[in-house]
Amino acid sequence: MPISLTIRRLLSIQPIDLPVFHPIALKLIHLLSDFNFTIDELANTANDDQALAGQILKMANSSSYIGRVKVETIKDALIRLGAHHVSNLAMAASQAALHASDNSTVNAVMKELWFHSHGCAVGCRWVAMNTGHRALAEQCYLAGLLHDVGKLYLIKALERITNAGVAQAALERGLLLEIFDELHVEQGNRLMEHWNMPPVYRTAVDRHSSAHFDPDEKVLVIVRLVNVFTRSCGMSFVAGPDQALLELPEASLLGMGEQQLTELVKVLEESRSISFLPSQE
């Protein structure tokens, strides 16, 4: 069943500033893109929201992120972990908090979406670290985290529409997944442009599942690979690939063998235990 013209029209007039990005997390990303930031400036920005700062430290001190090194302040985390890593934790912490709803159907879909997005982030960072692209690890993490942000926007927009008494059926799971399939890239691009996100993340949103891509864009190649791998772990709304994972062109481009691909599946499965959803507080 095609998406009705009514729903498409209603989506087109929804405000772009629905809560899909935390303002502090966005500010950190933009500060880093200017290359003129100071540690104190970043720390002060992160500390502007104490709840978010607390979540950043909680994630930073989890064994899955840094292991033996304990950090007690945002500045300490910035010095020990690096600015880009802490900025990514800010975005991850804030994104986790946004994947929740009072509507049980929507909440369940949001939880699945978060497991997928967070799993992609963790998996993308692991792939970069283990395929000779360590310098791209933090970009890969954030690109993996945000590649499906259009779906989060769509849920928020549709929930707002239905709360106003319009298009109630739009929040049924089947129709939601159909809307995701048709519109999430379009709406994700809209978000990326509105928030002036760096090109590497715009590309991940735009090309993560398209038929054609530039093999030289390694962050995109990694996001594409991990996105497909989530399907074999039951962490995606999309069914698993028809071809063997080892035969994926992205795996070949990254030089990944069977052992590495097996380890990647384990990394993705383990990412569920560090998801930091609100219900896990």
Side-chain angles (χ1 to χ4, degrees):
M1 175 177 65
I3 298 171
S4 73
L5 294 177
T6 300
I7 291 179
R8 184 181 284 274
R9 180 180 60 81
L10 289 170
L11 286 170
S12 71
I13 61 176
Q14 287 301 298
I16 200 68
D17 58 350
L18 288 170
V20 291
F21 288 129
H22 192 292
I24 298 299
L26 273 174
K27 187 174 181 180
L28 287 171
I29 289 172
H30 288 137
L31 281 172
L32 290 174
S33 67
D34 288 338
F35 300 105
N36 292 319
F37 62 87
T38 66
I39 293 295
D40 285 336
E41 187 176 17
L42 292 172
N44 290 337
T45 298
N47 283 319
D48 279 345
D49 185 320
Q50 286 299 303
L52 178 61
Q55 275 296 88
I56 293 170
L57 291 175
K58 182 177 179 180
M59 294 184 79
N61 285 312
S62 70
S63 60
S64 299
Y65 280 94
I66 65 170
R68 298 185 302 273
V69 183
K70 182 175 176 60
V71 294
E72 297 183 355
T73 67
I74 294 295
K75 186 171 183 178
D76 190 22
L78 286 164
I79 292 171
R80 296 191 185 191
L81 304 180
H84 286 276
H85 191 52
V86 173
S87 175
N88 283 348
L89 293 182
M91 182 60 80
S94 63
Q95 284 284 298
L98 292 172
H99 284 72
S101 171
D102 293 333
N103 180 301
S104 60
T105 299
V106 173
N107 194 63
V109 171
M110 280 189 169
K111 185 175 181 180
E112 289 181 64
L113 177 59
W114 175 247
F115 281 139
H116 170 73
S117 298
H118 182 254
C120 279
V122 173
C124 286
R125 190 173 191 274
W126 184 89
V127 170
M129 297 287 284
N130 288 275
T131 59
H133 300 289
R134 182 177 292 267
L136 300 176
E138 298 305 334
Q139 284 188 338
C140 287
Y141 180 97
L142 191 55
L145 185 72
L146 298 181
H147 77 283
D148 265 350
V149 72
K151 293 179 181 177
L152 178 61
Y153 173 78
L154 285 167
I155 297 178
K156 297 286 188 182
L158 289 168
E159 195 168 30
R160 178 170 177 159
I161 290 169
T162 56
N163 286 342
V166 181
Q168 297 294 319
L171 293 186
E172 294 178 0
R173 179 182 173 86
L175 185 54
L176 268 176
L177 298 188
E178 185 181 338
I179 292 170
F180 286 172
D181 184 56
E182 186 166 337
L183 294 178
H184 83 279
V185 171
E186 170 189 313
Q187 295 301 316
N189 285 332
R190 185 176 171 224
L191 285 171
M192 291 290 108
E193 181 178 358
H194 178 78
W195 293 113
N196 194 29
M197 295 293 279
V200 64
Y201 308 122
R202 297 191 192 196
T203 300
V205 167
D206 186 48
R207 311 295 294 177
H208 66 268
S209 59
S210 59
H212 304 288
F213 65 98
D214 184 346
D216 292 328
E217 294 183 326
K218 294 307 180 186
V219 172
L220 175 61
V221 172
I222 290 172
V223 171
R224 289 174 61 91
L225 176 77
V226 178
N227 185 47
V228 173
F229 262 68
T230 61
R231 301 172 190 173
S232 65
C233 303
M235 297 171 64
S236 174
F237 297 118
V238 182
D242 294 330
Q243 67 187 116
L245 295 174
L246 193 59
E247 297 174 359
L248 292 170
E250 292 85 353
S252 177
L253 286 167
L254 294 168
M256 296 186 72
E258 185 173 358
Q259 182 176 347
Q260 283 182 307
L261 297 179
T262 299
E263 291 176 5
L264 173 57
V265 171
K266 292 179 180 178
V267 169
L268 292 174
E269 291 173 342
E270 291 172 356
S271 70
R272 289 178 177 272
S273 66
I274 53 170
S275 61
F276 295 96
L277 286 167
S279 60
Q280 296 177 318
E281 291 295 316

